[in-house]
Amino acid sequence: MEDIKTKIENLRETLRYHSDRYYNDDAPEIEDYEYDMMMRQLKDLEEKYPQYDTPDSPTKKVGGKADNSFESVVHTVRMESLQDAFSREEICDFDRRVQETVSSVFYVVEPKIDGLSVSLEYRDGLFVRGSTRGNGDVGEDVSGNLKVIHNIPLKLNKPIPFIEVRGEVYMPKKSFDKVVDRQLINGEKPFKNPRNAAAGSLRQKDSSVAAGRGLDIFVFNIQQIEGVELNSHKESLDFLKELGFNTVPFYTKVDSIDKALDEIDKIGEARGSLEFDIDGAVIKVDDFSQRVILGSTAKYPKWAVAFKYPPEEKQTKLVDIEIAVGRTGVLTPTAVLESVHLAGTTVSRATLHNQDFINEKGIGIGDIVTVRKAGDIIPEVLCVNEHNPDSVFKFPETCPSCGEKVIRENDEAAIRCINPECPAQLLRNLIHFCSRDAMDIEGLGPAIIETFVNAGMIKNTYDIYSLNPLEIANLEGFKETSANNIIKSVEDSKKNDLSKLIFALGIRHIGAKAGKLLSDHFKSMDAIMSATVDDILEIDGYGTIMAESVVNYFAGESAKELIQKLKEFGVNMNSTNVIEDERFAGMTFVLTGTLPTLKRSEASKIIESFGGKTSSSVSKKTTYVLAGEEAGSKLDKANQLGIEVIDEEKFMGMIK
């Protein structure tokens, strides 16, 4: 029995870890199906051995926890999850349980959208708040990011006194493809699937990021309503359409479980051709009065069930392995496959990740492999079924783009080209250099940069500053006005703070925040270039790897040449961050809530101008929490830790 108890505890620990990765980090490490099977195994064990059941088991919990990056929202009506079913027999068992309690049952069958569940609240027909599901009881206020989603109405077609609806924010497949393409161009780790892309986008602090991700929503439930009486689910969906909501795209009312199963089959056959991702189909009791009689368990409503489709797998031949070079020089292998129809689309390529993955699976050209779409979207090679003994694939020792020797550092799985003049890296480096968080050169997007590179107008990063408006205007699709606008943006970028230039250089391990720390500490590019590892380690927030990366970058001749050329073109090489005095030196502020007169960004700049720094989370290292109206979980945590909380009036007194 001790073995059973250990097995249950191990399952719980594993499920908690993967739940946290899925719901709170938007970075799943296993497929939904594997997670569902583990959850099913745990539930069966808890039912068989009730002496080991506990109230904090993952089988009792809903979704993730509320992220303290946003203000907390307590849900008046609990946002429940659904009981999962994986076979026709389990669906029939659900019907049997329903029929034992109520009679003359009608069901509504609809697709289960794979996204992030949210609540939308309206008063007198106007949008007032939107929040995530969180753990079902407490979510996060993400109103700002929800407002920028085109299909979320800010004003309803009828002035209902109050209505709260539930929907699923998702990322259409076309939008997902564009986001992943941008991430790959910029050398970033791509989202694994549309669900995690949607969740990651909705949790952005800057709503303009969410606005640029192409998010959408399907509304599928009324949580609570005032002023209107509705009696059934189908009636409520029809009413939601009248109000202007984008409801689930198709839903069918049926009078038997056999017809419901037929609808599940139809949805399953169509899922590959849909423009959005689904991970199942939902069967709901239509009549609201019957739902009240059926009630809910601690976790699930008894009047609904979600059928989960198993991931589709097929075998095919691996005919070649291609190597691409990313912005940071990483060599990425891609399997070229004999085309196979999988989850509704034709698959001819699949990711192979890196050399370790290839070695682990024993993959070679000519092998017969099993392919699956991870999250029904990204094709991946699962295993080798028949190995070609004459082929064991090895990464090239030289870069396929420039021919220079490639390296693999001890602490990395990646093999990379470190030649900064590598042609394959040029385009990606240029796109990063001109991006918003870097030099922010408006008008020089990926497509235009590629046009200029192909025309021979840009061969190195510093060529951006020698662009000729006449040459631009002579290119097809360009006019004098657009050419002059680009040149103006290029000229304006010369005035940027040193921190933006450091980030724009694309130094490994150095992001925008690290670039600002470096700029604020050393004040000038010359000081940074002459700094030692020990000098850089004096910066709070820098570790050995980051410090060595900075020193190694500026030790290269190509980096020295680039900086010299940028100086000659008049690019600013100094920090423009003016320190009034050092009264906040060594202090860390956390801002929360709405301040009476200051924006958070304004308060942050003031703090930095007096030598302090800001953080997004409260910890023992926090000096002050600057709190305004509707301060939420950060204020609670400050009180728990005994951190001093100040308001704007006291803050203004501190800076006089």
Side-chain angles (χ1 to χ4, degrees), residues 227-239:
V228 177
E229 186 174 338
L230 299 166
N231 299 309
S232 72
H233 184 56
K234 185 177 183 302
E235 182 187 1
S236 71
L237 290 175
D238 294 340
F239 181 67

Side-chain angles (χ1 to χ4, degrees), residues 12-184:
R12 286 173 182 158
E13 185 177 347
T14 303
L15 283 164
R16 287 188 186 104
Y17 171 79
H18 288 297
S19 178
D20 190 56
R21 296 291 289 162
Y22 181 90
Y23 286 105
N24 301 315
D25 296 338
D26 306 317
E29 295 178 1
I30 61 173
E31 293 304 308
D32 288 358
Y33 188 75
E34 295 173 65
Y35 181 88
D36 291 337
M37 291 301 99
M38 279 194 288
M39 184 68 81
R40 172 60 58 87
Q41 184 183 8
L42 175 60
K43 186 178 179 183
D44 290 344
L45 286 170
E46 288 177 344
E47 289 177 353
K48 191 173 181 181
Y49 302 98
Q51 65 268 37
Y52 300 134
D53 197 1
T54 60
D56 64 342
S57 171
T59 59
K60 311 293 191 301
K61 290 188 175 294
V62 177
K65 63 186 178 184
D67 187 325
N68 62 13
S69 298
F70 296 90
E71 303 303 330
S72 296
V73 175
V74 177
H75 299 304
T76 306
V77 177
R78 193 166 193 252
M79 296 179 72
E80 297 174 304
S81 60
L82 295 177
Q83 174 74 58
D84 290 333
F86 300 91
S87 67
R88 299 176 77 87
E89 290 75 21
E90 291 178 32
I91 294 295
C92 291
D93 285 343
F94 161 76
D95 176 61
R96 176 183 51 76
R97 292 191 298 271
V98 169
Q99 298 282 1
E100 286 174 352
T101 306
V102 295
S103 58
S104 303
V105 179
F106 286 86
Y107 294 113
V108 173
V109 186
E110 59 197 51
K112 186 175 184 295
I113 313 300
D114 196 12
L116 186 72
S117 198
V118 299
S119 157
L120 308 176
E121 298 173 55
Y122 294 79
R123 289 198 179 277
D124 299 321
L126 299 178
F127 177 79
V128 292
R129 185 169 67 174
S131 56
T132 62
R133 181 177 71 175
N135 64 8
D137 296 310
V138 181
E140 311 147 10
D141 189 331
V142 289
S143 302
N145 287 337
L146 289 170
K147 285 179 180 179
V148 301
I149 297 176
H150 177 69
N151 271 325
I152 292 182
L154 300 182
K155 182 179 181 180
L156 302 181
N157 294 334
K158 296 179 181 179
I160 305 298
F162 177 76
I163 185 172
E164 179 188 359
V165 301
R166 181 170 173 178
E168 199 82 0
V169 171
Y170 70 97
M171 184 174 286
K173 292 177 181 178
K174 288 182 180 178
S175 299
F176 176 73
D177 290 340
K178 290 179 181 177
V179 170
V180 169
D181 285 346
R182 286 202 302 268
Q183 289 175 319
L184 291 173

Side-chain angles (χ1 to χ4, degrees), residues 426-427 430-431 443-459 467 471-478 486:
L426 174 62
L427 178 61
L430 289 168
I431 292 169
L444 280 186
I448 291 177
I449 291 173
E450 188 172 4
T451 299
F452 291 174
V453 170
N454 292 338
M457 295 162 58
I458 300 179
K459 297 176 182 177
L467 286 171
E471 288 184 18
I472 296 173
N474 286 332
L475 293 173
E476 184 177 351
F478 289 86
I486 289 173

Side-chain angles (χ1 to χ4, degrees), residues 522 527-538 547-548 550-551:
F522 289 102
I528 294 171
M529 293 180 73
S530 61
T532 65
V533 170
D534 288 339
D535 293 335
I536 298 173
L537 285 174
E538 292 178 6
E548 288 178 347
V550 172
V551 171

Side-chain angles (χ1 to χ4, degrees), residues 594-611:
T594 304
L595 300 174
T597 63
L598 289 174
K599 294 180 180 178
R600 288 193 195 181
S601 58
E602 293 171 340
S604 295
K605 287 181 180 179
I606 292 171
I607 291 165
E608 290 171 3
S609 72
F610 287 106

